[in-house]
Amino acid sequence: MSTTPRVVIIGAGIVGANLADELTERGWDRVTVLDQGPLPLTGGSTSHAPGLVYQTGPSKTMTAFAQYTVEKFTGLDADGAWCFNRVGGLEIATTPERLADLHRKQGWAASWGVPGEVVGPQECAKLHPLLDPDRILGGLHTPTDGLAKASRAVDALARRAQARGARFQGGTRVVGVKQSGGRVTGVETTRGEVPADIVVCCAGFWGRAVGAMAGMNLPLLPMAHQYVRTGPLPELAGRNDEHGEARMPILRHQDRDLYFREHVDRLGVGSYAHRPMPVGLEDLPRVDGPTEASMPSMLPFTGEDFAESWGYARRLLPALETARIEDGFNGVFSFTPDGGPLIGESPETAGFWIAEAVWVTHSAGVARSVAQLLVDGRSEVELHGCDVHRFDEIETAEAYVEETARQNFIEIYDVKHPLQPRLSPRDLRVSPFHARQKELGAVFLEAHGWERPHWYGANAALAKELPMDWRPPSRDAWSGMFHDPSVVAVEAWRTRTAVALYDMTPLKRLEIGGPGALAYLDGLTTGRMDKSVGAVTYTLLLDAAGGVRSDITVARLGEQEFQVGVNGNIDLEYFRRRLPGDGSVQLRDVTGGTCCIGVWGPLARDLVQPLSRDDFSHEGLKFFRCKRAHIAGIPVTAMRLSYVGELGWEIYTSAEYGRRLWDVLYEAGRGLGVVAAGRAAFNSLRLEKGYRAWGTDMTTEHDPYEAGVGFAVRPDKGPFVGRDALAGRDESTVTRRLTCLTVDDGRSVVLGSEPVFLDGDPAGYVTSAAFSHTLGTPIAYAWLPASATPGTPVEIKYFDRMVRATVAAEPLVDPEMKRIRR
């Protein structure tokens, strides 16, 4: 008798069928797939999906998902019929901005291992003969992209999974999720109860309703998207066989939010150019039986919304001038606040999992990762940008989800800068210093609803005081966007030579306490937690394979009291899920009720000490120590930490005192040259010191020694998560390394994700980059082979040009750590 868990998958579309295949391939044979619609064409998004698979994007994870979809579907067939047709992809540009963006995208392709080339108009027309080359400036050709026949793939995957023991059941609507003791026990359906140890929701645009059955508030909005098919085109007559074996590459005209694919002798055209069309589930036709013919995912076509797009399509492809639209529909699929999928386990109901907002493009990759999470406990592809817990509570509110998902629909094909902030909603979460920051002309960017000053306009008046060697060169238009080089230079300069105030409030803070807190933290982190009260420890959270799942700071405020600085809501959920059941550990997110000012610079002590009777000398509060104190009578917790590489403290207080604390420090610092400084200066200064940013520079795909944070691992302290996996590894065994680079020309600032070439071949990619104001040159960090030692020349591909750089020893500034330990 099988001992594998009983798994119920809700949804027999492309994600559910892929997951059943991946689980049964790993030996899990008690898998039941339920769908309210008929099999194999259930009526969900898979049933109408046009199946265009473009692999390349700014996310390494999403590209990896798409690459696996291509690989898997290429080897899949249904009774000899293809499931993936590798016709290639072609994205064309009709504006200089788009052409530049295609060069940037080709860089991503090189970074992530996807072949691609930017070609001229005539070559585009050779690849896609229906194009008018006079209307385009060029295109990006990716030969391994192509068409997925989603409905056929579902049939093939289901058959394969069934042959291994899986069961597929249509005409079965899930109406409830059964649970006991906080754990899932099965699902209630219109045809009775189905017991389960694990339930995975792959219900597509029905996901929000199914998630609610398990107590999950999924940030997901169903939206309609237009697709039409033309009548027969003479130019395609006889070109393709009766099986629909397309020959031309799939085509995107993103300047007009359009895409195109062949349907034998017809052309399919999809558009995102129309108004957002949110869909209420209550307005969709219900599928209750296996013979139901209606298709809830295909709503009536609204021709008036497509009229302008049809005009643009006909101008781009002259063959459409005499063509007519034969049929069309408004297809329903899911959007999220940031456009990413939702993957993970319910925080309320153990064993209830989510795999939602997944398109055909990424379906096989997502299913593989979910199967690996269930069977092995970890995904080989890192998932922080897909984790269902990445959103803070405000980001799951219905109004927030609807507004941001609508905007994502509108911007889906836009050329977007990495720093580009959303315009609305804004001012959802502000620190107590917000009014003062606005008075200083703060330019705010936004993350997880928090307003975060990027730089301060008031500092522009100080630019004339910058010493010559601190004056930055002019930037190109792209790297200079959402940036003011002179102002940021002032803020970096004053941090290095005087003192600056940084708002660190948005960084998430947890309070962990109780008689079991020490042992609890010790078992989850790589560092020693049993230190004296007042100790602060930089440490790591690893997964079972030794990958870096987060880096955190742990401050011991009392024998049973710790303040933990984490990287976001994913870490909060990680800690929450691992709380002991005996109540010996209490966990609380205190971020919203507290605030933090980073006071950093060589004059930081001159600023703070006169305001306090507590000892802020080096002897009184040493590096990586903390204590409770008073500043101008305000109760604070001061931690001797510095992520900019200068003397100073993170100073915490409750939100009620925040504005007063800011005013006191700012006023007292006037004579010392204090400035308010933002995230742009912070990022530049932290890179000069070689400080890593989790999620950008390192993830679960990297171990601590590769990432350059092996110093935070104490394998001899006793058991902790990931310890066994690191056995035998150290800095000498790594084959790749997070590597510091300096740019040779002293002025070319790259932004991240650009490919790095070693001896003429792509060898890695940039993670973080900035202009080093202290050194007067651009710098970057990149993943490269360990053989790229200091002095090794490399090249970074920035849009359509190569930028020479050199591997450098790190840290670049103050390697002896003298400045920070004054």
Side-chain angles (χ1 to χ4, degrees):
M1 184 175 178
S2 176
T3 58
T4 64
R6 298 168 300 174
V7 180
V8 168
I9 298 171
I10 303 172
I14 195 69
V15 182
N18 259 303
L19 180 56
D21 178 64
E22 294 287 336
L23 287 174
T24 55
E25 184 182 33
R26 288 163 174 77
W28 283 25
D29 54 359
R30 296 200 290 173
V31 176
T32 301
V33 184
L34 305 176
D35 202 290
Q36 62 182 343
L39 300 178
L41 206 60
T42 65
S45 299
T46 301
S47 308
H48 72 253
L52 283 69
V53 178
Y54 286 94
Q55 298 167 86
T56 307
S59 165
K60 182 175 182 290
T61 293
M62 299 301 284
T63 299
F65 287 160
Q67 286 172 299
Y68 183 65
T69 297
V70 168
E71 175 190 335
K72 183 175 181 177
F73 286 11
T74 298
L76 191 67
D77 70 86
D79 298 326
W82 61 270
C83 291
F84 186 78
N85 184 3
R86 193 176 292 196
V87 293
L90 182 62
E91 301 175 65
I92 56 96
T94 59
T95 64
E97 293 78 14
R98 181 67 63 181
L99 185 60
D101 191 59
L102 293 183
H103 281 288
R104 181 170 66 125
K105 186 171 288 187
Q106 192 278 328
W108 295 337
S111 291
W112 316 141
V114 177
E117 180 185 11
V118 176
V119 297
Q122 296 303 322
E123 182 62 24
C124 289
K126 287 181 183 177
L127 291 164
H128 198 293
L130 299 190
L131 275 170
D132 179 355
D134 293 334
R135 291 193 175 273
I136 61 178
L137 302 178
L140 172 62
H141 179 227
T142 44
T144 58
D145 290 344
L147 286 166
K149 185 71 171 177
S151 56
R152 190 180 292 162
V154 165
D155 189 27
L157 291 165
R159 289 192 210 176
R160 198 158 74 179
Q162 286 170 318
R164 301 187 190 117
R167 184 168 66 97
F168 280 67
Q169 183 174 310
T172 307
R173 184 160 54 92
V174 173
V175 295
V177 175
K178 307 288 287 185
Q179 50 190 296
S180 177
R183 179 157 198 95
V184 71
T185 60
V187 295
E188 188 69 37
T189 80
T190 50
R191 299 172 67 176
E193 184 177 336
V194 182
D197 305 301
I198 295 170
V199 174
V200 187
C201 178
C202 305
F205 54 80
W206 301 96
R208 186 156 190 156
V210 176
M213 298 176 191
M216 288 191 77
N217 181 22
L218 295 184
L220 183 154
L221 181 70
M223 301 271 280
H225 155 62
Q226 293 198 301
Y227 191 78
V228 304
R229 275 188 263 207
T230 70
L233 301 178
E235 292 82 356
L236 295 181
R239 181 182 176 91
N240 302 321
D241 62 31
E242 69 275 12
H243 300 296
E245 186 82 31
R247 307 295 183 189
M248 292 189 297
I250 53 178
L251 178 67
R252 283 205 288 208
H253 178 21
Q254 291 170 291
D255 287 323
R256 293 301 180 186
D257 297 314
L258 290 166
Y259 63 82
F260 306 83
R261 61 152 293 179
E262 292 174 89
H263 292 283
V264 192
D265 61 348
R266 292 162 169 79
L267 209 61
V269 186
S271 170
Y272 292 97
H274 54 82
R275 60 190 169 90
M277 302 178 188
V279 176
L281 296 182
E282 66 279 1
D283 298 326
L284 297 178
R286 175 157 287 178
V287 181
D288 279 322
T291 60
E292 177 63 56
S294 63
M295 194 77 77
S297 63
M298 297 175 67
L299 302 181
F301 182 62
T302 51
E304 65 277 11
D305 291 303
F306 196 77
E308 187 174 26
S309 292
W310 182 238
Y312 290 127
R314 296 168 79 184
R315 285 193 283 276
L316 182 71
L317 307 177
L320 298 181
E321 285 290 350
T322 57
R324 62 183 178 82
I325 296 174
E326 190 169 81
D327 60 73
F329 61 92
N330 291 355
V332 183
F333 62 136
S334 304
F335 272 76
T336 59
D338 60 5
L342 305 175
I343 299 172
E345 188 178 11
S346 165
E348 291 86 11
T349 308
F352 184 83
W353 287 75
I354 291 294
E356 290 292 354
V358 181
W359 296 4
V360 172
T361 302
H362 310 108
S363 58
V366 167
R368 179 180 62 173
S369 284
V370 173
Q372 289 172 343
L373 287 170
L374 294 176
V375 177
D376 306 322
R378 77 181 296 269
S379 163
E380 65 185 74
V381 175
E382 75 89 13
L383 300 176
H384 83 275
C386 310
D387 194 308
V388 69
H389 304 296
R390 67 189 182 272
F391 300 106
D392 283 346
E393 185 177 5
I394 188 65
E395 298 172 279
T396 65
E398 189 171 346
Y400 183 94
V401 172
E402 177 158 350
E403 181 174 352
T404 53
R406 280 171 172 260
Q407 194 60 31
N408 282 333
F409 183 93
I410 293 169
E411 296 175 350
I412 191 166
Y413 280 168
D414 286 3
V415 176
K416 297 193 71 173
H417 191 276
L419 294 178
Q420 186 169 323
R422 66 171 81 252
L423 298 178
S424 178
R426 295 296 297 267
D427 291 336
L428 294 176
R429 306 171 82 181
V430 298
S431 77
F433 329 128
H434 186 67
R436 294 295 187 246
Q437 292 165 344
K438 291 178 72 174
E439 291 169 4
L440 292 171
V443 175
F444 294 96
L445 300 187
E446 178 270 348
H448 295 290
W450 281 105
E451 297 297 321
R452 306 176 72 168
H454 202 51
W455 76 86
Y456 290 84
N459 294 328
L462 300 174
K464 61 182 180 295
E465 299 179 18
L466 277 170
M468 290 303 298
D469 56 349
W470 281 86
R471 296 186 181 185
S474 59
R475 290 194 177 194
D476 68 276
W478 184 255
S479 69
M481 200 176 295
F482 304 106
H483 194 79
D484 189 314
S486 295
V487 172
V488 176
V490 166
E491 294 173 11
W493 170 56
R494 285 294 177 92
T495 306
R496 287 277 185 250
T497 61
V499 61
L501 306 184
Y502 289 81
D503 182 1
M504 307 304 289
T505 300
L507 302 183
K508 190 172 284 290
R509 294 173 289 287
L510 311 180
E511 186 180 90
I512 296 177
L518 175 60
Y520 166 74
L521 286 168
D522 213 41
L524 295 177
T525 63
T526 62
R528 289 191 179 91
M529 296 294 106
D530 193 9
K531 297 179 179 179
S532 62
V533 172
V536 181
T537 305
Y538 172 82
T539 188
L540 308 174
L541 302 177
L542 304 181
D543 65 15
V548 182
R549 62 166 298 121
S550 193
D551 65 337
I552 65 175
T553 55
V554 180
R556 192 169 192 179
L557 303 181
E559 288 294 331
Q560 299 181 4
E561 182 184 359
F562 298 84
Q563 180 173 308
V564 182
V566 300
N567 281 300
N569 215 54
I570 296 174
D571 289 346
L572 170 60
E573 175 59 19
Y574 178 79
F575 278 115
R576 190 204 65 77
R577 192 175 294 279
R578 284 154 184 80
L579 286 171
D582 60 6
S584 62
V585 180
Q586 293 82 50
L587 168 65
R588 193 162 66 100
D589 180 356
V590 297
T591 311
T594 58
C595 58
C596 178
I597 302 175
V599 183
W600 291 311
L603 302 184
R605 189 172 286 120
D606 299 83
L607 171 55
V608 172
Q609 187 60 80
L611 299 173
S612 179
R613 296 181 180 179
D614 297 286
D615 188 358
F616 280 85
S617 70
H618 178 66
E619 294 73 22
L621 185 54
K622 292 185 177 180
F623 192 51
F624 268 88
R625 300 287 297 179
C626 68
K627 69 178 180 182
R628 290 189 168 103
H630 287 79
I631 294 176
I634 301 166
V636 302
T637 298
M639 296 187 190
R640 182 87 182 272
L641 307 178
S642 175
Y643 288 95
V644 298
E646 293 294 335
L647 168 68
W649 308 269
E650 292 179 356
I651 300 177
Y652 297 88
T653 191
S654 60
E656 62 191 311
Y657 302 125
R659 181 157 159 176
R660 172 66 177 162
L661 178 64
W662 179 279
D663 287 347
V664 166
L665 291 171
Y666 194 82
E667 185 60 34
R670 287 183 184 275
L672 301 172
V674 72
V675 296
R679 297 294 298 182
F682 180 91
N683 189 57
S684 170
L685 297 168
R686 69 102 181 162
L687 283 177
E688 293 176 352
K689 287 298 295 177
Y691 295 143
R692 278 60 170 151
W694 185 84
T696 301
D697 298 318
M698 57 187 180
T699 68
T700 54
E701 294 184 4
H702 313 109
D703 77 32
Y705 305 110
E706 295 172 324
V709 290
F711 64 85
V713 180
R714 298 288 185 268
D716 58 344
K717 76 161 189 170
F720 58 85
V721 175
R723 177 193 181 206
D724 294 345
L726 294 182
R729 298 193 224 176
D730 59 27
E731 284 82 357
S732 68
T733 64
V734 303
T735 58
R736 60 176 178 172
R737 183 176 285 119
L738 187 62
T739 305
C740 181
L741 306 176
T742 56
V743 174
D744 293 356
D745 68 11
R747 60 186 307 110
S748 296
V749 180
V750 300
L751 297 181
S753 297
E754 296 89 355
V756 181
F757 289 73
L758 183 62
D759 297 326
D761 296 319
Y765 58 92
V766 173
T767 58
S768 296
F771 186 85
S772 167
H773 298 280
T774 308
L775 300 177
T777 189
I779 59 176
Y781 272 78
W783 280 101
L784 288 175
S787 58
T789 54
T792 302
V794 298
E795 290 184 300
I796 304 169
K797 188 169 186 185
Y798 182 64
F799 289 88
D800 59 347
R801 65 187 179 94
M802 303 300 282
V803 175
R804 293 181 180 178
T806 302
V807 174
E810 58 169 338
L812 295 169
V813 171
D814 191 27
E816 298 85 11
M817 301 287 285
K818 292 180 180 178
R819 301 174 68 90
I820 208 168
R821 298 179 185 273
R822 302 181 191 199

